[in-house]
Amino acid sequence: MKFVELNNGVKMPQLGFGVFQVPDLKECEQAVLDAIDSGYRLIDTAAAYHNEEAVGAAIKKSGVAREELFITSKLWVSDASYERAKKGIETSLNKLGLDYIDLYLLHQPYGDVIGAWKALEEAYHAGKVRAIGVSNFYADQLKNLILTCDVRPVINQIEVNPWYQQKQEIKLNQAEDVRVEAWAPFAEGKHNIFQNEVLAEIGQKYGKANGQVILRWLMQRGIVVIPKSVHKNRMEENFDVFNFELSDEDMQTIAKLDKNESQFFDHRDPETIEQIFGSSLSQLKQK
Ligand code: NAP
């Protein structure tokens, strides 16, 4: 496993395992057990995935020492205020059954971000979380947080895949010493990514599949990756990316695949914000 060092000195595996869209707790527990058995040590969950209990159960059953694992969870928008975030962190700890979480993220740049961040800072100083970061923050939102708060985020988890390469955002995050972590590294399979001929041609040179080429392309740019699969053979395939290196020419060929547009939704579109996050945000007004 390759590790990256975060801006607070904490070391994090560069390749991990994500559990978004695995709401069935038994299936999630088995997937995490299979992932740990395949060699993964970084597990990425979130309050909003409703499977923190299953991740916690798998951690216990795995028999792997706690300090060898790196567990990430995230605070949802409906808890994005100082008071609610304090409770949200405790709820994540309880559901995971852990004394500490390795990395805790603000899941979205909405709500009372500054208040919620204060609660994350307190949890960090109290040793309940080893590192704190954000997700889906654009560079201006990140700058606002950095200029306002005491503890600099260690990570920004954003969508990065061959169709949405985020070159400018990655540059701006790196300039702030904030590590980029790619969600949906495979764009969840959109536009037949696993069959794409350009990626396949590159993969053939190394005896690797498209998914492995993508993970390698991201990792060679210093990005942390957290592919998801509920199939053990795919978990193993996605983990088998440490024995080859893409050439500069391969990297440039992949750079040309950029469609420069999110494969899911635009986090800056007011209508989308209302549709996806409106009801969660309205909960902040109620309490
Ligand atoms: P992804 O990892 O890009 O793609 C997952 C899809 O690819 C699944 O349908 C999976 O199918 C398939 N797959 C995986 N490996 C494969 C392989 N080797 N060959 C063929 N198909 C393969 O999508 P994601 O789950 O959205 O993103 C990864 C993680 O990022 C999430 O699980 C979550 O932890 C995180 N995330 C964070 C945010 C955020 O807002 N912060 C948003 C989205 C995701 P099977 O499962 O059926 O194998």
Side-chain angles (χ1 to χ4, degrees):
M1 175 53 64
K2 198 164 177 282
F3 288 80
V4 294
E5 186 167 335
L6 304 174
N7 66 29
N8 67 346
V10 166
K11 292 196 173 61
M12 172 180 192
Q14 198 180 357
L15 169 63
F17 180 72
V19 294
F20 180 41
Q21 296 176 126
V22 196
D24 182 273
L25 296 183
K26 284 228 158 2
E27 186 183 25
C28 181
E29 184 180 322
Q30 188 56 51
V32 175
L33 275 169
D34 286 345
I36 293 174
D37 191 51
S38 305
Y40 294 84
R41 292 295 178 265
L42 157 61
I43 310 293
D44 183 89
T45 183
Y49 302 170
H50 303 293
N51 56 20
E52 288 170 305
E53 308 85 321
V55 172
I59 292 168
K60 281 208 179 67
K61 275 195 192 163
S62 73
V64 172
R66 172 67 187 93
E67 59 275 17
E68 275 187 43
L69 297 167
F70 190 103
I71 309 301
T72 302
S73 195
K74 316 184 191 81
L75 186 85
W76 188 239
V77 172
S78 48
D79 284 328
S81 70
Y82 175 66
E83 289 300 334
R84 292 183 70 123
K86 283 200 291 188
K87 290 188 196 138
I89 295 163
E90 294 302 325
T91 304
S92 286
L93 282 164
N94 289 336
K95 286 191 170 174
L96 285 161
L98 297 177
D99 298 330
Y100 68 90
I101 295 169
D102 294 277
L103 174 63
Y104 205 70
L105 307 179
L106 288 187
H107 203 148
Q108 302 286 347
Y110 310 122
D112 175 9
V113 164
I114 301 299
W117 189 255
K118 190 103 213 113
L120 263 63
E121 287 181 338
E122 286 179 10
Y124 175 62
H125 291 309
K128 293 177 183 181
V129 296
R130 293 175 66 223
I132 53 177
V134 297
S135 179
N136 298 305
F137 275 51
Y138 279 90
D140 55 329
Q141 297 162 325
L142 186 71
K143 187 61 130 180
N144 176 47
L145 186 66
I146 288 171
L147 292 176
T148 316
C149 297
D150 294 329
V151 179
R152 180 176 289 260
V154 295
I155 262 195
N156 191 4
Q157 186 181 114
I158 56 176
E159 178 190 347
V160 192
N161 50 57
W163 309 151
Y164 190 38
Q165 299 195 7
Q166 301 247 50
K167 294 173 189 127
Q168 180 63 5
E169 287 294 318
I170 289 170
K171 213 194 265 177
L172 292 168
N173 275 274
Q174 288 175 342
E176 296 286 1
D177 200 13
V178 174
R179 178 76 58 173
V180 171
E181 183 174 22
W183 64 255
F186 303 144
E188 294 183 5
K190 286 182 199 292
H191 299 291
N192 287 325
I193 205 161
F194 295 110
Q195 288 79 39
N196 177 270
E197 283 176 13
V198 175
L199 296 169
E201 207 169 294
I202 293 173
Q204 269 161 21
K205 292 196 275 180
Y206 307 96
K208 293 289 176 185
N210 283 16
Q212 294 169 310
V213 170
I214 294 168
L215 295 176
R216 195 67 220 182
W217 164 72
L218 288 162
M219 290 171 70
Q220 284 182 213
R221 295 162 74 207
I223 295 170
V224 176
V225 289
I226 43 169
K228 171 261 175 188
S229 174
V230 291
H231 297 98
K232 195 163 188 224
N233 61 325
R234 290 177 175 175
M235 293 175 198
E236 287 168 352
E237 179 182 299
N238 298 342
F239 196 77
D240 182 20
V241 291
F242 295 102
N243 51 5
F244 75 112
E245 191 169 355
L246 299 174
S247 66
D248 289 347
E249 193 191 339
D250 298 329
M251 297 292 284
Q252 281 161 25
T253 304
I254 300 172
K256 290 188 198 129
L257 296 177
D258 198 0
K259 297 177 193 293
N260 211 11
E261 140 182 300
S262 168
Q263 298 302 296
F264 300 93
F265 59 86
D266 179 358
H267 270 86
R268 303 218 104 157
D269 173 49
E271 259 180 47
T272 307
I273 294 171
E274 187 166 350
Q275 261 172 26
I276 300 183
F277 305 105
S279 71
S280 294
L281 284 168
S282 66
Q283 290 181 43
L284 291 172
K285 289 193 255 181
Q286 289 157 20
K287 293 179 196 165

